[in-house]
């Protein structure tokens, strides 16, 4: 309707962008929206590596067919034959083929794409997601209540418990797939955290 102003939320999730193979997709989308008199706010939200890994474990366990808690735990703790895609690879390649690149190259590519194409980059635990959305869109929270995300970091998942060995394996996954370096870079660039500098060679 004439004069009506509204926002439409589009989420890519696991079925959307693959920025490593099509880096111009957001630029083209932004140009297309602006030609229609619309504004695009591109946002990406990441988690601290441990939080992400715990969520990933929860999802993998829920999707595991015909496997016992013991079997699942032993496989994950050993790290053998475990397909573990981190946030960095999801961001760059989504469901596509992951390129065997040096992690520093992947981190630099991801940060460049974030800075060139995204208006809002959030790190779960450092930002109040609901307040940021309300700030950007101008929406009003119903009854003044905050949007609260469901808790996913319970120590027990249907009989499966997070263990010290799992956390050690998470650290190995993060070092191998670049998530540790990526999260350090996000903290450094978007939150002025200097820890990233100590990891540079």
């Amino acid at each position: 309707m004439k004069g009506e102003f509204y926002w439409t939320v589009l989420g890519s999730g696991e079925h959307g962008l693959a920025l490593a193979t099509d880096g111009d997709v957001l630029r083209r989308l932004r140009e297309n929206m602006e030609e229609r008199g619309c504004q695009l706010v591109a946002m990406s939200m990441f988690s601290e590596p441990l939080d992400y890994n715990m969520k990933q474990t929860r999802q993998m366990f829920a999707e595991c067919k015909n496997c016992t808690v013991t079997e699942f735990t032993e496989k994950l703790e050993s790290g053998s034959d475990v397909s573990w895609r981190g946030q960095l690879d999801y961001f760059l390649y989504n469901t596509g083929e992951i390129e065997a690149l040096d992690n520093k190259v992947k981190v630099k590519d991801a940060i460049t794409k974030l800075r060139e194409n995204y208006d809002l980059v959030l790190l779960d635990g450092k930002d109040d997601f609901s307040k940021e959305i309300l700030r950007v869109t101008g929406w009003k929270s119903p009854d003044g209540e905050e949007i609260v995300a469901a808790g996913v970091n319970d120590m027990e998942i249907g009989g499966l418990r997070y263990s010290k060995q799992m956390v050690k394996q998470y650290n190995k996954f993060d070092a191998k797939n670049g998530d540790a370096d990526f999260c350090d870079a996000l903290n450094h660039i978007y939150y002025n955290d200097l820890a990233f500098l100590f990891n540079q060679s």
Side-chain angles (χ1 to χ4, degrees), residues 174-199:
D174 294 337
K176 183 178 180 180
N177 63 27
D179 270 17
D181 291 338
F182 182 48
C183 190
D184 281 342
L186 290 173
N187 275 301
H188 169 60
I189 292 169
Y190 293 98
Y191 301 95
N192 201 28
D193 186 335
L194 299 181
F196 177 69
L197 297 177
F198 294 101
N199 295 324

Side-chain angles (χ1 to χ4, degrees), residues 121-149:
V121 177
L122 304 177
L123 192 59
D124 192 18
K126 294 212 171 187
D127 291 291
D128 186 319
F129 178 72
S130 60
K131 285 182 180 177
E132 286 296 317
I133 294 299
L134 296 178
R135 181 183 66 79
V136 170
T137 61
W139 287 341
K140 300 296 181 185
S141 178
D143 303 322
E145 296 180 2
E146 291 188 8
I147 304 167
V148 180

